[in-house]
Amino acid sequence: MATAIQERKDRARAEHSQYVTMTVADRLLGLPILEVHDIVVPEKIARVPLAQPEVAGLINLRGKIVSAIDMRHVLRAPPAAADARRVGVTVSHKGETYTLLVDGVGEVVEIDPDTREPNPPTLDGRWKHLSNGVVRLEQGLLVLLNTDRVMDQDIRG
């Protein structure tokens, strides 16, 4: 039964037509716009001792303390330069708020569900697991992230 529920959730996500685009290590990613609560540029990220490596730290989001997840680490991309300005894409998962640290945020794009393709066989296994498929855009291949799968990684320690 749980599998049927997850399949319905996956199908519903795949049918979303608007995605917020973002980049991580020069790769184009997308999240359904309905799952994005806010875009922020964190002023300060407070490190958390003994936190898992994916947890960049904590940020203050209008008085609420939010865990910042480093998407470069989640996606096994090289670390960002120490002085790189990162952007936070705020999402919710299981009643908690998180911000996903990415290199940049682009525009909102309208995606025709018929243009969505399955993950290419050459896509890294980690990316395949975190993706609901891909879409070819003028800017390149847009990898459609599944927020639940990203957040269900063992990173909320």
Side-chain angles (χ1 to χ4, degrees), residues 24-25 27 71-80 127:
V24 172
R27 294 194 177 101
M71 289 301 293
R72 278 182 168 261
H73 199 283
V74 170
L75 296 169
R76 296 184 183 135
W127 286 65

Side-chain angles (χ1 to χ4, degrees), residues 79-144:
D83 62 345
R85 187 172 183 180
R86 309 287 301 279
V87 180
V89 178
T90 306
V91 299
S92 291
H93 180 71
K94 297 183 180 177
E96 295 292 327
T97 302
Y98 298 88
T99 194
L100 306 177
L101 292 178
V102 298
D103 298 343
V105 174
E107 58 192 10
V108 173
V109 294
E110 188 83 26
I111 302 293
D112 179 349
D114 293 334
T115 63
R116 187 181 150 274
E117 300 176 33
N119 291 318
T122 55
L123 191 63
D124 177 272
R126 173 79 158 202
W127 286 65
K128 280 183 191 177
H129 173 72
L130 301 176
S131 169
N132 278 337
V134 297
V135 176
R136 295 176 199 274
L137 299 176
E138 286 181 25
Q139 308 94 304
L141 196 64
L142 176 67
V143 178
L144 305 175

